[in-house]
Amino acid sequence: MKVLLNGSSYSVENNCSVNSLIKNLDLSGKYAIEINQNIIPRSQYSDKKINSGDKIEIVQAIGGG
Amino acid sequence: MTNFDKDKFKIADSIYSSRLLVGTGKYKNIQETKSAINESGAEIVTVAIRRTNIGQEKNEPNLLDIISPDKFTILPNTAGCYDADTAIRTCHLARELLNGHALVKLEVLADKKTLFPDIAQTLSAAEKLVNDNFKVMVYTTDDPIIAKRLEEIGCVAVMPLAAPIGSGLGIQNPYNIRNIVENASVPIIVDAGVGTASDASIAMELGCDGVLMNTAIAEAKNPILMASAMKKAIQAGREAYLAGRMPKRAYASASSPIDGRFF
């Protein structure tokens, strides 16, 4: 199914959890995840399922003033 | 000589020795960022919150791997936000990614050319964030009334601009900055517009608790050397302030005695 990930269209398997997405993306370091403008706490990564059309934002800290 | 170990200051519930706070933007690379920060002696370091580059080079280091939250106090900013809601959203994401670390730098901008803050949105965001247990260090204008209002809302530090972000113009209205300092019960940190060492010294001579800068160091021809200069400038300005400067006079006051002249 299709979702919007960081502004771009992205395909995930049906019934994909946030944890699976993280594994697929091979994310490392410190990041935070929002789905439809709701922050998903780390404790919910394995339970929270992604739905078709979800708008997902994954952010990290970068250089800034 | 001032023992800087004794002249510490407190933001929220944490105590710091260094009164120089630095940003991490605009450097050539992450190594230069780290070297400049180390040279500056800064303990508080700002970062921006942006989308992870999905599919980026996996070899590229994460900023927080190099500038670790274990060693530094990370101060996430809300740079690029033009309304309270976006700024608040950014703060929530920052708190999540930093495992509950609640210190944030709130900036809500009004205008792309000057990057002056939107005061109405800043006040609104500050209130909501404070009510949500964030410790807010707030970027604002050098308006003493607004500075006091932000303190009353519960911000842990108020950060008036010296001049527009990245302009390097130095403090444009020292009288306002002094007024803000005199009326404040929270740390006042000049943020934005510092260009060179003397600008930082002047901020400290006015009684500010600290100075936050990014471009002044990152865009110097030799950022590491400028970081060193800024560290000394902040110390010099602080000592001058604590020493209590001489008064300004309209006319001369001779330094050598009249008595005993042989002519």
Side-chain angles (χ1 to χ4, degrees):
Chain A
M1 57 184 183
K2 285 235 185 292
V3 296
L4 206 60
L5 175 58
N6 282 0
S8 300
S9 183
Y10 189 80
S11 285
V12 297
E13 324 98 60
N14 290 340
N15 226 30
C16 175
S17 70
V18 170
N19 235 357
S20 309
L21 177 62
I22 290 168
K23 284 197 175 71
N24 290 341
L25 294 171
D26 194 22
L27 290 181
S28 62
K30 295 190 188 300
Y31 50 84
I33 300 181
E34 223 192 33
I35 299 181
N36 301 329
Q37 298 200 12
N38 294 312
I39 292 183
I40 311 302
R42 226 166 292 278
S43 54
Q44 289 179 23
Y45 281 175
S46 37
D47 294 332
K48 179 76 185 171
K49 296 278 183 259
I50 296 172
N51 298 311
S52 178
D54 271 350
K55 200 168 168 231
I56 304 170
E57 296 289 346
I58 302 180
V59 297
Q60 64 183 52
I62 65 162
Chain B
M1 200 193 102
T2 304
N3 182 344
F4 286 103
D5 279 340
K6 294 208 169 76
D7 183 38
K8 294 181 197 285
F9 75 119
K10 205 171 168 187
I11 299 179
D13 297 312
S14 297
I15 298 188
Y16 301 93
S17 301
S18 170
R19 292 170 180 273
L20 174 55
L21 293 67
V22 297
T24 52
K26 290 177 159 176
Y27 287 100
K28 289 184 189 63
N29 52 54
I30 224 169
Q31 283 315 316
E32 188 182 71
T33 312
K34 184 172 171 68
S35 301
I37 291 172
N38 284 341
E39 192 66 29
S40 75
E43 295 166 296
I44 301 172
V45 164
T46 65
V47 299
I49 305 295
R50 292 286 181 265
R51 283 173 169 167
T52 298
N53 192 355
I54 312 282
Q56 68 172 65
E57 265 297 312
K58 281 303 149 197
N59 293 327
E60 223 179 278
N62 287 317
L63 180 67
L64 296 184
D65 292 338
I66 309 294
I67 292 150
S68 168
D70 297 329
K71 196 166 172 259
F72 295 95
T73 296
I74 303 294
L75 181 60
N77 68 27
T78 66
C81 293
Y82 283 79
D83 63 80
D85 286 342
T86 322
I88 292 167
R89 209 174 136 202
T90 304
C91 290
H92 281 277
L93 283 163
R95 183 162 64 178
E96 176 64 27
L97 88 85
L98 290 169
N99 293 331
H101 176 69
L103 190 69
V104 291
K105 170 178 157 172
L106 173 63
E107 49 183 292
V108 188
L109 308 179
D111 169 55
K112 285 178 170 49
K113 195 164 177 183
T114 61
L115 298 181
F116 279 146
D118 181 322
I119 293 303
Q121 291 289 297
T122 299
L123 289 163
S124 168
E127 199 156 354
K128 291 188 180 122
L129 288 166
V130 167
N131 286 340
D132 203 348
N133 297 318
F134 282 93
K135 298 176 197 174
V136 180
M137 296 175 66
V138 59
Y139 162 72
T140 179
T141 57
D142 56 7
D143 180 331
I145 308 302
I146 299 300
K148 193 64 184 174
R149 199 149 290 165
L150 287 164
E151 176 187 311
E152 286 160 356
I153 281 171
C155 294
V156 299
V158 172
M159 308 206 291
L161 57 83
I165 294 170
S167 68
L169 291 171
I171 291 176
Q172 294 300 286
N173 194 333
Y175 298 99
N176 276 15
I177 300 291
R178 179 180 287 139
N179 190 302
I180 292 172
V181 167
E182 283 168 1
N183 288 312
S185 306
V186 294
I188 300 299
I189 296 168
V190 161
D191 175 21
V194 166
T196 188
S198 46
D199 298 333
S201 292
I202 289 170
M204 299 309 291
E205 286 169 22
L206 290 167
C208 292
D209 295 278
V211 181
L212 173 56
M213 65 177 73
N214 190 154
T215 309
I217 297 176
E219 283 190 6
K221 291 191 176 60
N222 184 336
I224 315 304
L225 190 55
M226 185 57 86
S228 168
M230 289 299 187
K231 180 179 178 183
K232 292 168 184 157
I234 300 254
Q235 287 173 344
R238 180 65 181 165
E239 281 192 343
Y241 174 73
L242 293 173
R245 64 154 297 153
M246 59 166 279
K248 292 190 181 178
R249 297 183 172 97
Y251 295 98
S253 162
S255 301
S256 304
I258 306 288
D259 287 351
R261 280 176 304 168
F262 57 91
F263 46 86

